Every structure is written in structure tokens, then in C-alpha cells.
Amino acid sequence: MSATTNTFSLKAIFTDFKEITKAGLAISVLFSSIAGYFLGFNDSQPFQWSVLLMLCVGGYCMVGASNAFNQVIEKDLDILMDRTKNRPVPSGRMSSTMAVFVASLLTIIGLVLLYMINPKTAMFGAISIFLYTCVYTPLKTITSLSVFVGAFPGAIPFMLGWVAATGDFGIEAGTLFLIQFFWQFPHFWAIGWFLYDDYAKAGFYMLPTGKKDNGTALQVILYTVWLIIASLLPCLGYTGKLFISEIAAVVVFLLGLWMLYYAVRLYKIKTAKAARTLMLVSVSYISLLQLVYIIDKFLR
């Protein structure tokens, strides 16, 4: 009986840890950092398994800490929404004190590991967690501009991998940042659209006009266009060591048209289902784009 109880207890702890760190989201964010690392290493800064491992663990800790702090701050609002009311803190399975302890421990571990890679990687990791926790989270109930603020920490992971590989922040890392920055808007506005009613229960208005209207849908299209342009910059020869071939550029452009189609579709029919589809397409788009960049690097 004792062994069974311990098994269930450990399983519950592991499940709550995954939920408070938003493991699925953290892993997808981590994929961007790994992609940036593969794009960044070269003959003068060769691939190192130890650096990649520290980036993975440290990156997960930083994203997990941001999510844990967020859930402590928003615990009274999370309980109002169907999507979040069963999270560890609002449901009462984990105390706020324990959640803060977990978040603080993850922050320390994450910063130490990223600093061991190089100081710049740790600096950008620290900036990310600060902006997400101390600026983006409080703004969510005040203004829809919170999405703009949140796009900054959300865009850091892709470039973080490059900085981890090279120790430098230049036009290459800046371009990777720009791509993921513009990607944030259609992605999160799509989420804000199909979860509009649930967000409204907690006073979160994530859409740029505050409503599911033509204005919001038009901005989704415009930012998707900016995303496509940013994604094609590496083929123009002005982004330093970061560049893609003409074939890769065609593939990236077609991926962009695919996402743009669903952005236009949302403008036309304005349904929650269309918004959810756009969100799923946006996740596929950024992942496939990163894979195209990596494959193109090793095939050239």
C-alpha cells in the first residue's frame, strides 16, 4: 500500500510540475532555441553536445519559471476560466508558496546553466523572464498591447540558440528574433480569437481592437505578410552568416502563402474554428521554417 501511495504521489508531483511549467509549450519554445543553435555553430565555433544540453535544460528552466510565476500572479483569474481552472495553483493542489519556490529554483538553475554557456545567453534569458513575468503578465488585464510586449520575450528563444552557439548578438541573431517576433502576432491573436469568451471571464482582452472584427482580422493578415517578408530576409545576402539558398527561399515563401491563406480565411468567415486552424497552421509554419533553414544549411 505504501509503495502504491508513493507511486501515485510521485506521479501527481510530476503531473503538477508539467502543468505549472507548461511542458508542452516549454518544449516547443525549446525547439526554437535548438534550431537557432544548429544555425549558429560553425568551423570557428564548433558544435558541442555539452552546450546543447545546457541550452536545453537551462532553456526549459527559464520558460518553466516564467510560466510558474505567471500562474502564481494570475491564480485568482485562472480559476475563472475553464481552460485554466484546473491548473495546480488555482485548483489548490499546489500552494502559491511552493509554486514561487519552484519558479525561483528553476530561475536560478536556468541562469547558471545559460551563464556557463556564455554571459550573453544568460542575459537574454534573464531579460526574457523579466519581461514575461513583470511586464507582459500584469498588462494582460490592462491593455491589448500586452501582446506586443509579450512578443519580445516570445521572440528571444530562436535567437538565443544562435547566441549560445556563437557568443555574439549581431544581424544574424537579430534576424532570427525578427522572424519569431512577427510570428507572435497572428499566432496569439488567433488564440485570443477562439478563446475570446473564456479570456473575457478573467478580463483578458488579447485582440488588437478588443473584438472579433474586421480590424483584428486585417491586422492578422498584415502581420502575417510582415512575417513572410522577415522570413525571406536571409536569402537577400544582407544578414551576415545567416543565409538561405534560392530553393529554400521558395519553400519558405510557399509556407508563408499557406499561412496567409488561413489568415485571409479568418478575415472572410470570422469563426472560432477558423482561428483555431490558423493557430495550428502558425505552429506548423514556424517549426517547418526552422527545419528548412537547418536542412538548407547542411545541404549547401
Side-chain angles (χ1 to χ4, degrees):
M1 179 65 72
S2 178
T4 303
T5 302
N6 288 338
T7 300
F8 280 119
S9 178
L10 289 173
K11 183 179 179 181
I13 291 172
F14 180 68
T15 299
D16 284 346
F17 179 80
K18 287 197 301 181
E19 290 186 16
I20 201 168
T21 59
K22 295 184 183 177
L25 173 62
I27 291 171
S28 67
V29 170
L30 203 57
F31 181 82
S32 293
S33 293
I34 295 171
Y37 180 78
F38 273 93
L39 291 172
F41 77 81
N42 50 51
D43 292 338
S44 58
Q45 287 117 352
F47 176 87
Q48 298 180 62
W49 280 109
S50 59
V51 171
L52 183 60
L53 180 61
M54 287 188 288
L55 177 64
C56 289
V57 178
Y60 186 96
C61 286
M62 297 304 289
V63 177
S66 296
N67 290 329
F69 279 128
N70 171 269
Q71 290 180 50
V72 172
I73 296 169
E74 295 182 348
K75 67 181 190 306
D76 294 331
L77 300 176
D78 280 349
I79 202 169
L80 302 175
M81 297 184 288
D82 295 334
R83 182 178 62 92
T84 57
K85 63 184 180 182
N86 291 319
R87 286 175 174 173
V89 178
S91 67
R93 297 196 308 275
M94 181 182 294
S95 68
S96 294
T97 301
M98 177 57 70
V100 170
F101 172 77
V102 171
S104 300
L105 183 61
L106 289 173
T107 301
I108 294 170
I109 295 172
L111 285 176
V112 169
L113 288 173
L114 296 183
Y115 188 84
M116 288 172 66
I117 297 173
N118 61 60
K120 288 182 181 177
T121 303
M123 178 189 72
F124 284 118
I127 290 173
S128 176
I129 195 171
F130 173 78
L131 288 176
Y132 188 89
T133 303
C134 301
V135 185
Y136 164 69
T137 297
L139 283 177
K140 286 168 66 178
T141 56
I142 299 174
T143 174
S144 60
L145 287 175
S146 61
V147 174
F148 174 77
V149 175
F152 284 89
I156 286 177
F158 199 11
M159 75 160 199
L160 193 70
W162 184 283
V163 176
T166 66
D168 294 321
F169 177 81
I171 186 66
E172 301 91 350
T175 302
L176 297 180
F177 176 89
L178 191 66
I179 292 169
Q180 199 145 5
F181 178 79
F182 282 124
W183 173 82
Q184 303 284 319
F185 295 94
H187 175 71
F188 280 103
W189 284 337
I191 294 174
W193 188 296
F194 75 78
L195 290 177
Y196 182 86
D197 293 335
D198 209 27
Y199 276 133
K201 295 175 184 177
F204 294 152
Y205 296 96
M206 311 296 287
L207 302 181
T209 66
K211 297 179 290 185
K212 298 184 289 184
D213 58 9
N214 284 343
T216 288
L218 181 60
Q219 290 198 51
V220 169
I221 293 173
L222 291 175
Y223 276 86
T224 300
V225 171
W226 282 115
L227 169 63
I228 295 171
I229 294 172
S231 300
L232 292 171
L233 288 177
C235 77
L236 301 179
Y238 298 106
T239 53
K241 296 178 181 179
L242 175 68
F243 61 93
I244 57 174
S245 67
E246 292 179 356
I247 295 176
V250 170
V251 176
V252 169
F253 180 65
L254 292 175
L255 286 173
L257 290 181
W258 177 50
M259 182 165 166
L260 183 61
Y261 168 81
Y262 285 98
V264 173
R265 184 168 176 263
L266 175 62
Y267 180 84
K268 288 182 176 180
I269 64 178
K270 301 179 185 66
T271 64
K273 183 178 180 180
R276 184 184 292 272
T277 301
L278 175 59
M279 183 273 292
L280 294 173
V281 169
S282 70
V283 173
S284 299
Y285 170 86
I286 196 67
S287 300
L288 290 172
L289 175 138
Q290 290 164 350
L291 286 173
V292 169
Y293 274 31
I294 293 170
I295 293 170
D296 182 65
K297 172 184 176 178
F298 289 101
L299 289 182
R300 285 197 310 266

